[in-house]
Structures are given as C-alpha cells and as structure tokens.
C-alpha cells in the first residue's frame, strides 16, 4: 500500500489566537493554539502546521514563544510558517522546537532561500507552501497571504521549488479555501505527476469523502484542513478509520495519556 497518508490539522495564528476564514478572509476565532495542538496530538493527527498569518515584527517574538510552548506539549512533528525571510528566522523557529519550516512569499521573491534552507538544515526541514488561484484556466501563485498576484504559474513554480531542494509542497487552492466543497483534485493530481517530492493538499475539506478524493483522485501524500477539525465537524480517529475502510493506508495509533 506504500507510505501511510498523513492527516494534518492547520492552525492559523493571529495575535496568539487560532483563527479561520473563507477564501483567505472573514476570520473568526477557533481557540488557543497550544491547547488545540495538544488535543490534536492526543487524538491521532500525524503532524501539525502552525502559520503566523500576520507575521508582524512585534508578533514574531510572541509567535516564537508560542512555538516553544507547543513543542513542550506535542509528540508529533510540527511545521511553522509565517515571516520566514532568511536563515536566522529558520534557526530561531527550529531552536524554539519546530521540526520543519514553511516558506511561501519570501521564496517566491527570492527563490535561493529554498536552496539555502535545504543546504543548511536539510530538505526535510523545508516545506514550500504555494497559495494559488485558478484564473481563466490557469493556476496563478499569490503572496502576502493571498493578497498579491505574482503572475507565476503554479506548476512551473512547483517544479522549480522541487529542483531547489524543498522536501515537500503544501498546495492551497484559494478558490477552495474554507468553502468545504472538496479539494482542487485535478491540480493536485498534476502536481503529483510532475513532482518527485510529496504534495500536501490544502483548501476545501468539508467531509470525510473529500479526504478520500484527495488521496484517490488527487494522489496527495497528505491532506491538511482547519475548520472541520477546529469546530468538531470531523473527528480525526473517525476519519482515519473511514479512510482505512476505503483502502487508504493511515496510521491509527493508541496514545496513553
């Protein structure tokens, strides 16, 4: 059956609180990131992603402190992103306890950052997040939290990211984000076919069947979601059993508290 497919809750953090929006706007609070992380770790999540979605200069120290508090509560890998522009930002977050870092806007502005992270810390540390919107039949990459178009083609950029040494790609469809009507399956499948590295699906999870489609039709290596987990719409153990029952290999672990 190959490698197990991963289920990854994503926590967007703003001013120390987890928030979730739709199509990258209309944010609402979802809870304390440390407590949510601890709960997900205990309930079978394979990994976690924490994103500082504002990444203001003042907020970075607060966010770093939160990473340290999260690390003390988890026994699963977690990725941290937001405001990473140079190697010292990566070093700061890894020292705080993160296992991987996610780069997005900074990598599009200065692609050599990917090479630098991979050379210094290893490809396994570097997750390249790509936010893209389908426009007139073409997937276009955006930066600044989905606010600014770069004009770059998703598939061209993803191939370059892999060539530069990123360990995996986190692809978020801006069209599907928060809508809960399924992932961007055709784009995911194409990314899988052209890339030598794992692809994490993001944007669109609304029900268990959407995750199944991400793995079967989208060929994703992992699926990431936020609101369906934060607000109790889908329980991770139940989701994993459903996937297993439908032929998808997942890690189902028993954790003693």
């Amino acid at each position: 059956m190959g490698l197990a497919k991963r289920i990854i809750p994503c926590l967007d953090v703003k001013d120390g609180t987890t928030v979730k929006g739709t199509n990258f706007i209309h944010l609402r609070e979802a809870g304390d990131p440390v407590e949510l992380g601890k709960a997900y770790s205990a309930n079978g999540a394979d990994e976690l992603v924490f994103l500082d979605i504002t990444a203001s200069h003042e907020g970075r120290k607060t966010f770093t402190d939160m990473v340290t508090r999260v690390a003390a509560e988890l026994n699963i890998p977690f990725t941290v992103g937001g405001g990473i522009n140079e190697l010292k930002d990566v070093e700061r977050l890894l020292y705080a306890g993160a296992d991987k870092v996610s780069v997005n806007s900074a990598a599009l502005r200065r692609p050599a950052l990917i090479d630098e992270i991979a050379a210094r810390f290893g490809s396994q540390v570097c997750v390249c997040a790509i936010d893209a919107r389908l426009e007139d039949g073409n997937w276009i990459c955006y930066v600044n939290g989905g606010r600014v178009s770069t004009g770059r083609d998703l598939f061209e950029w993803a191939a370059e990211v892999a060539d530069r040494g990123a360990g995996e790609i986190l692809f978020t469809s801006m069209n599907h984000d928060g809508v809960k009507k399924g992932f961007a399956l055709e784009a995911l499948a194409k990314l899988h076919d052209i890339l030598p590295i794992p692809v994490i699906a993001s944007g669109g999870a609304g029900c268990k069947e959407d995750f199944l489609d991400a793995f079967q039709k989208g060929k994703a290596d992992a699926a990431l979601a936020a609101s369906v987990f934060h607000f109790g719409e889908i329980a991770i153990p139940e989701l994993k059993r459903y996937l297993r029952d439908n032929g998808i290999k997942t890690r189902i672990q028993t954790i003693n508290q």
Side-chain angles (χ1 to χ4, degrees):
M1 293 175 68
L3 294 174
K5 302 297 188 180
R6 292 170 286 152
I7 300 298
I8 307 176
C10 179
L11 293 87
D12 293 335
V13 180
K14 181 177 185 289
D15 302 326
T17 298
T18 308
V19 296
K20 182 57 190 139
T22 303
N23 302 128
F24 282 45
I25 56 175
H26 307 306
L27 301 178
R28 58 173 172 157
E29 292 190 3
D32 176 71
V34 178
E35 291 303 315
L36 280 171
K38 184 178 179 180
Y40 287 136
S41 179
N43 281 289
D46 296 299
E47 299 183 18
L48 293 174
V49 170
F50 288 80
L51 299 177
D52 180 354
I53 62 171
T54 49
S56 66
H57 180 70
E58 295 79 12
R60 284 186 192 166
K61 186 177 187 310
T62 302
F63 189 70
T64 304
D65 292 343
M66 187 211 76
V67 170
T68 301
R69 289 187 290 123
V70 167
E73 301 290 350
L74 298 188
N75 56 9
I76 57 174
F78 77 111
T79 301
V80 176
I84 296 172
N85 298 298
E86 53 190 338
L87 286 181
K88 71 177 185 180
D89 296 323
V90 178
E91 194 167 30
R92 169 174 52 84
L93 292 167
L94 294 178
Y95 184 76
D99 298 284
K100 310 177 194 178
V101 296
S102 171
V103 292
N104 187 340
S105 300
L108 272 157
R109 294 194 181 98
R110 192 174 70 84
L113 178 62
I114 297 170
D115 305 69
E116 293 166 5
I117 295 171
R120 175 78 175 273
F121 304 105
S123 291
Q124 77 283 353
V125 164
C126 184
V127 179
C128 190
I130 305 176
D131 299 332
R133 185 191 297 276
L134 183 61
E135 300 174 350
D136 298 323
N138 298 307
W139 285 96
I140 305 299
C141 300
Y142 275 69
V143 294
N144 288 23
R147 297 177 185 88
V148 180
S149 172
T150 66
R152 289 291 304 266
D153 175 78
L154 163 65
F155 305 105
E156 173 195 305
W157 172 234
E160 180 177 340
V161 163
D163 288 343
R164 287 181 176 275
E168 55 189 334
I169 284 175
L170 167 56
F171 162 56
T172 300
S173 165
M174 295 173 61
N175 307 74
H176 296 72
D177 177 67
V179 178
K180 300 183 182 180
K181 293 186 177 179
F183 294 91
L185 300 176
E186 289 185 13
L188 283 167
K190 184 172 179 179
L191 286 170
H192 168 84
D193 291 344
I194 68 172
L195 297 175
I197 59 175
V199 177
I200 304 169
S202 171
C207 61
K208 290 179 289 186
E209 290 78 10
D210 292 335
F211 288 88
L212 183 62
D213 285 342
F215 296 130
Q216 288 185 335
K217 299 177 183 177
K219 307 178 188 178
D221 299 278
L224 176 148
S227 58
V228 293
F229 296 143
H230 299 341
F231 302 116
E233 296 164 36
I234 297 177
I236 292 175
E238 181 184 325
L239 171 61
K240 286 191 167 186
R241 284 192 292 271
Y242 168 80
L243 292 170
R244 272 264 164 124
D245 290 346
N246 284 276
I248 302 297
K249 184 178 179 181
T250 62
R251 298 185 190 92
I252 298 179
Q253 66 268 48
T254 300
I255 299 174
N256 296 319
Q257 299 299 314

